[in-house]
Amino acid sequence: MARPRKPLLSRERIVAAASALVDAEGLDAVSTRRLAAELGVSGPSLYNHFRNKDEILDAVADTVSAKVDLSMFDESDPRDWRTALHDWALSYRAALTEHPNVVPVLARGPGRRPAGLKVADAVFGAMVRAGWPAAQATQIGALMRYFVTGSALGSFAGGFVDDATAYDPSDYPHLGQAHLLAEHQEKVDEGAFETGLRALLDGLAARYEAGARTKRTGAAPSDRA
Amino acid sequence: MARPRKPLLSRERIVAAASALVDAEGLDAVSTRRLAAELGVSGPSLYNHFRNKDEILDAVADTVSAKVDLSMFDESDPRDWRTALHDWALSYRAALTEHPNVVPVLARGPGRRPAGLKVADAVFGAMVRAGWPAAQATQIGALMRYFVTGSALGSFAGGFVDDATAYDPSDYPHLGQAHLLAEHQEKVDEGAFETGLRALLDGLAARYEAGARTKRTGAAPSDRA
DNA sequence: ACCTGAACACCGTTCAAGT
DNA sequence: ACCTGAACACCGTTCAAGT
């Protein structure tokens, strides 16, 4: 048919189809030929809208970043960084666990993805506004990303096989119950995430208090190892 | 030539070649044909030693798990779980950052990989011995994996492009310095990891103390949200 | 500008054939 | 048992040709 009077494709349509395919069958299921077939066109057509396949996946990843709620960073008391960080982490994780297959793409960092940069901007800005020094605000953005993407990348509980004979007691004396993990996958992973998040925030709060104290007294920051 | 009198291949040789290829050029560079060529054989030969490509990558991943030091869990005072966990986390992260390209494979969980299971067994056993209830020992294993694999999966600092014009101040008011992150990649990522690890351990220690207290007094565990 | 088919240089895996 | 080449059903991407 060659060129139609009305374009058959658009970046939006391509991204929507790619997202659906990634969610349903995983990253490996996305081939340019398969995706094009799903859209009723031939493979090379996609290259009129994206430079390559990676750019399509980047766009898919950015739609996930765009789902992360950031309202807690401008609505609340700027000094209550702990609550904001907590609520943001829950929203962040929820967005990723809804689309676990795109996490490896997201883990490449924001790059030039607008929604990814918006997230980084909001977190960093809020931490600085709350009184964290810039270097530590950066660290908080980083360590939160480590924890959230790590938790969404792969289930902990689901990483153990559901087969009691896989855990020979003479090799793994403490894994006698490990075959039960798969059954309680969601509960275990969510519980671990909540426990870790709370510990992380408790630990950061203690450091924040110590920082505020040294500011008042003018003492050097205590760096107990 | 058909079958030689002495086998040309072995699982060990295949895994070694695959590891080198993954480290040097990434997961995508490992194709069965390329790997076979590197070993001086034809592609299908590999299938005499592994069921499929995924099994080869699993074996590669397990050699990385095998590099994680676990000695801190049996040598030290069982009650000093904090120090053991800290030292283990450093060794765990070091093993992964030496082979960042295999992290996505590792993130699938231990499955039936012996070294991966050994790690899970050692951490869980040590936490239980230290007095943590089994459910919380599981959570600690999980949340530590989240944090360490998340930190090794992709650099935070390196995820930002090294191009000041990518950060339009009207879009990202707080990212004016973000283009400098790439330059200090290692320092930023290591600092964030250490800060996060310390916060995590501080937070867990507080929870451990609270648990020990309720045990002594017989009170219900306080679960302040 | 936006689509097509043909082409290039690849993939993972199966299988019959060889020793 | 362990290797081979041929074959099948795929890949990502380029490019000239069509409107």
Side-chain angles (χ1 to χ4, degrees):
Chain A
M1 83 180 61
R3 173 162 114 92
R5 19 179 73 250
K6 249 237 149 193
L8 296 173
L9 252 34
S10 67
R11 289 175 68 95
E12 290 69 34
R13 277 198 69 219
I14 294 169
V15 171
S19 297
L21 200 49
V22 174
D23 286 344
E25 303 189 35
L27 272 180
D28 289 345
V30 183
S31 75
T32 56
R33 292 166 139 100
R34 169 89 188 272
L35 180 55
E38 217 97 18
L39 288 160
V41 297
S42 82
S45 306
L46 301 173
Y47 290 82
N48 286 296
H49 303 269
F50 289 93
R51 241 197 294 278
N52 52 41
K53 183 181 157 181
D54 250 36
E55 261 194 14
I56 299 176
L57 294 178
D58 265 7
V60 169
D62 218 35
T63 65
V64 176
S65 292
K67 287 181 185 167
V68 178
D69 186 11
L70 300 174
S71 63
M72 62 286 289
F73 289 126
D74 38 49
E75 282 171 5
S76 68
D77 179 354
R79 280 162 311 178
D80 191 7
W81 58 271
R82 193 197 204 280
T83 303
L85 216 50
H86 174 266
D87 293 351
W88 169 68
L90 291 190
S91 167
Y92 191 4
R93 178 176 136 93
L96 300 205
T97 51
E98 250 185 274
H99 307 280
N101 298 333
V102 324
V103 176
V105 182
L106 246 3
R108 298 201 286 240
R112 297 177 183 274
R113 296 187 294 97
L117 289 168
K118 266 285 168 210
V119 172
D121 184 69
V123 178
F124 180 77
M127 292 307 109
V128 168
R129 231 171 14 249
W132 285 99
Q136 293 190 34
T138 301
Q139 289 188 343
I140 290 174
L143 65 90
M144 292 297 288
R145 203 197 74 180
Y146 297 161
F147 186 63
V148 174
T149 59
S151 80
L153 183 63
S155 162
F156 178 81
F160 290 82
V161 297
D162 182 12
D163 167 10
T165 69
Y167 307 98
D168 187 324
S170 63
D171 289 328
Y172 318 112
H174 310 105
L175 297 186
Q177 310 294 313
H179 63 104
L180 301 173
L181 280 170
E183 266 183 273
H184 307 93
Q185 192 175 131
E186 250 184 86
K187 227 167 310 198
V188 171
D189 280 299
E190 261 170 40
F193 181 77
E194 276 161 29
T195 296
L197 179 57
R198 191 179 300 181
L200 221 32
L201 295 175
D202 284 348
L204 289 176
R207 174 181 265 248
Y208 183 79
E209 285 308 315
R213 250 193 317 281
T214 65
K215 225 184 199 168
R216 282 199 303 274
T217 63
S222 86
D223 222 42
R224 75 248 120 89
Chain B
M1 82 181 58
R3 173 161 115 92
R5 22 178 71 252
K6 249 241 151 189
L8 297 173
L9 254 32
S10 67
R11 288 176 68 94
E12 289 69 33
R13 276 198 69 220
I14 293 169
V15 171
S19 297
L21 200 48
V22 173
D23 285 344
E25 304 187 34
L27 273 179
D28 289 344
V30 183
S31 75
T32 55
R33 291 165 140 101
R34 169 91 188 272
L35 180 55
E38 217 97 19
L39 289 159
V41 298
S42 81
S45 307
L46 302 172
Y47 291 82
N48 286 297
H49 303 268
F50 289 93
R51 241 195 295 278
N52 53 40
K53 185 181 155 180
D54 250 36
E55 261 195 14
I56 299 176
L57 294 179
D58 265 9
V60 169
D62 218 35
T63 65
V64 176
S65 292
K67 288 180 183 168
V68 179
D69 186 11
L70 300 174
S71 64
M72 62 286 289
F73 290 125
D74 40 49
E75 282 171 5
S76 67
D77 179 355
R79 280 162 312 178
D80 191 8
W81 58 271
R82 193 198 204 281
T83 304
L85 216 49
H86 174 266
D87 294 351
W88 169 68
L90 291 189
S91 167
Y92 190 5
R93 178 176 136 94
L96 300 204
T97 52
E98 249 184 275
H99 307 280
N101 298 332
V102 324
V103 176
V105 183
L106 246 3
R108 296 201 288 239
R112 297 178 183 273
R113 296 187 295 98
L117 289 168
K118 266 285 170 211
V119 172
D121 184 70
V123 178
F124 180 78
M127 292 307 109
V128 168
R129 232 173 11 250
W132 285 99
Q136 294 190 34
T138 301
Q139 289 188 342
I140 291 174
L143 66 92
M144 291 298 287
R145 204 198 75 180
Y146 297 160
F147 186 63
V148 174
T149 59
S151 81
L153 182 62
S155 163
F156 177 82
F160 290 82
V161 297
D162 181 15
D163 167 10
T165 69
Y167 307 98
D168 187 325
S170 62
D171 289 329
Y172 318 111
H174 310 105
L175 297 185
Q177 309 295 313
H179 63 104
L180 301 173
L181 280 170
E183 266 183 272
H184 307 94
Q185 191 175 133
E186 250 184 87
K187 227 167 308 193
V188 171
D189 280 300
E190 262 171 39
F193 181 77
E194 277 160 29
T195 296
L197 178 58
R198 191 179 302 181
L200 222 31
L201 295 175
D202 283 349
L204 288 175
R207 172 180 267 248
Y208 183 79
E209 284 309 314
R213 247 194 320 280
T214 65
K215 224 183 198 169
R216 282 199 303 275
T217 63
S222 86
D223 221 46
R224 76 246 119 91

